[in-house]
Amino acid sequence: MTAQQNTSLASFTGDAQPYGGGDPYADYRTADLPFTQYANLADRQLGAGVVAANDEFFAQRENLLVPEPAEFDPEHFGHKGKVMDGWETRRRRGVSAEHPWPTEEDHDWALIRLGAPGVIRGIVVDTAHFRGNYPQAVSVEGASVAGSPSPEELLADDVKWTTLVPRTPVGGHAANGFAVSTEQRFTHLRLKQHPDGGIARLRVYGEVVPDPAWLAALGTVDVVALENGGRVEDASNLFYSPATNTIQPGRSRKMDDGWETRRRRDRGNDWIQYRLVDRSQIRAIEIDTAYLKGNSAGWASVSVKDGEDGEWREVLPRTRMQPDTNHRFVLPEAAVGTHARVDIFPDGGISRLRLFGTLTEDGAAHLAARHQELGG
């Protein structure tokens, strides 16, 4: 099954130039991609992993999901050759001296478990620093498999793989972006490179679609958490770090693992607007300023609205924030809504926002219907 509307947004099909010294990213080719506002479903922090690959002779498959940009040291060589920060396979060969070339069907593959199942809106296959050793083309398929399948189970004949990115030429030392329009929930991807070569990073942007049965079994959950299907819709300022950091799993581990704004020189304030997993009853709030010490928000408030056209209602009034502290608040009565907003005064940052509650009856029904519609 192939999604015909999936397209390559930026074509970098020419050869990359050999490294000429200086900043290795100076001639890196990229573009503004319209889907990068979505969460990266292949984020290790969400629990993503590269569970298998058929070959990783030159560079390990796990490098694909490293959150930082790929690094390049022109003088770093190991026992197998140039050490590359990515996934790199050996050169394929033909069957004989008369036919030394790979066949049209030859390819290498890697299996990726998404950190959170969801609908994929775009994929970036980044070939940074792979200048003469990148694949001729790539393709990406998705599958939805319940539980925690082994590589052997994922490769079984009964697993249905849907083409998300058809076989498409790519360029070296470039961010090759592909829009995806398949309305289906996926748990795993199969990345192929034709016939061989190296890929530095893989990013998979989309919307989390949680399992409603799991949320129901847990009872009270964080209804704005990224892993549960919450997402950031907008923010006033993203100068230092993305607002999505505030709904990532776990506590912040360093200063740039939260959300920090530039210093204001006016009388305004900064804010983030969120969409909850679905219509919910919020009973408790956490605002964490971990690792934000001289730059945490001075005060913060939280508001909720019910429906796209609903009115914002303040449920946590403007409250003093302490640096590097987790603040907890029990609401006097449950706040019902579909959206939330945190305002900080005047600027600064927070590391995490947690909104604990339960789905309403109609919210749970809507989520269950969407989960079924998307093939969950």
Side-chain angles (χ1 to χ4, degrees):
M1 177 176 163
T2 301
Q4 298 294 332
Q5 297 181 1
N6 301 340
T7 57
S8 174
L9 295 176
S11 180
F12 304 109
T13 52
D15 287 339
Q17 295 299 312
Y19 175 62
D23 178 7
Y25 273 106
D27 60 341
Y28 175 71
R29 293 171 290 175
T30 187
D32 291 329
L33 302 172
F35 46 72
T36 54
Q37 78 273 18
Y38 293 101
N40 177 19
L41 303 183
D43 191 336
R44 286 285 301 172
Q45 198 169 349
L46 279 175
V50 187
V51 299
N54 72 305
D55 185 297
E56 46 186 328
F57 184 86
F58 286 114
Q60 296 176 335
R61 66 182 190 263
E62 288 86 357
N63 289 332
L64 284 169
L65 304 189
V66 171
E68 293 80 18
E71 297 181 351
F72 180 72
D73 181 349
E75 299 185 9
H76 191 188
F77 286 82
H79 294 294
K80 295 182 179 180
K82 181 72 186 72
V83 175
M84 296 296 291
D85 186 6
W87 168 50
E88 186 181 4
T89 65
R90 73 192 77 198
R91 298 186 188 220
R92 283 183 171 269
R93 297 293 186 242
V95 296
S96 68
E98 290 72 26
H99 298 280
W101 307 280
T103 69
E104 188 68 16
E105 291 73 32
D106 282 345
H107 67 271
D108 293 316
W109 54 263
L111 296 176
I112 295 95
R113 178 189 65 244
L114 297 180
V119 177
I120 297 168
R121 300 303 183 194
I123 294 173
V124 175
V125 178
D126 189 348
T127 57
H129 315 304
F130 288 91
R131 296 170 179 269
N133 50 349
Y134 59 93
Q136 180 184 27
V138 299
S139 60
V140 184
E141 300 164 296
S144 183
V145 183
S148 304
S150 67
E152 293 74 20
E153 290 170 323
L154 289 170
L155 295 172
D157 292 339
D158 61 343
V159 174
K160 295 180 180 179
W161 290 93
T162 299
T163 300
L164 304 178
V165 177
R167 181 170 175 167
T168 306
V170 293
H173 197 44
N176 300 276
F178 304 91
V180 177
S181 57
T182 304
E183 289 295 322
Q184 189 174 335
R185 179 181 184 266
F186 295 104
T187 61
H188 293 78
L189 297 185
R190 181 161 59 187
L191 170 65
K192 296 180 180 179
Q193 48 180 340
H194 309 265
D196 54 39
I199 297 168
R201 299 289 188 265
L202 177 72
R203 306 295 187 232
V204 183
Y205 297 99
E207 301 173 46
V208 176
V209 180
D211 182 351
W214 176 250
L215 297 185
L218 293 179
T220 297
V221 297
D222 181 1
V223 296
V224 77
L226 181 59
E227 61 187 327
N228 292 335
R231 67 178 187 267
V232 169
E233 288 193 326
D234 200 3
S236 61
N237 187 273
L238 302 172
F239 189 83
Y240 286 114
S241 47
T244 301
N245 283 353
T246 61
I247 54 175
Q248 287 276 11
R251 294 199 73 195
S252 176
R253 297 167 294 177
K254 52 183 180 175
M255 191 177 74
D256 65 351
D257 193 17
W259 171 62
E260 181 188 358
T261 71
R262 66 189 304 164
R263 300 190 187 208
R264 277 190 170 268
R265 303 307 187 198
D266 59 21
R267 310 296 288 181
N269 74 285
D270 288 313
W271 50 268
I272 306 175
Q273 181 175 316
Y274 306 87
R275 185 173 185 87
L276 308 183
V277 55
D278 217 298
R279 192 165 186 257
S280 304
Q281 292 183 319
I282 301 168
R283 297 184 177 85
I285 296 172
E286 282 188 5
I287 302 176
D288 196 353
T289 58
Y291 291 97
L292 295 164
K293 299 180 178 180
N295 49 356
S296 67
W299 290 261
S301 65
V302 176
S303 301
V304 171
K305 74 172 182 177
D306 195 9
E308 294 287 350
D309 300 324
E311 297 290 331
W312 288 107
R313 180 168 65 92
E314 191 174 73
V315 297
L316 178 71
R318 195 178 303 188
T319 303
R320 189 73 169 95
M321 295 285 105
Q322 299 299 323
D324 196 26
T325 301
N326 192 23
H327 309 75
R328 291 178 170 175
F329 309 95
V330 176
L331 300 183
E333 60 181 28
V336 177
T338 56
H339 297 72
R341 173 178 165 132
V342 60
D343 284 86
I344 63 172
F345 302 88
D347 56 19
I350 62 173
S351 61
R352 296 291 188 269
L353 174 71
R354 307 295 189 210
L355 302 177
F356 294 105
T358 55
L359 292 173
T360 62
E361 186 175 341
D362 57 339
H366 180 263
L367 181 63
R370 182 165 185 256
H371 183 266
Q372 183 176 14
E373 178 185 347
L374 295 172

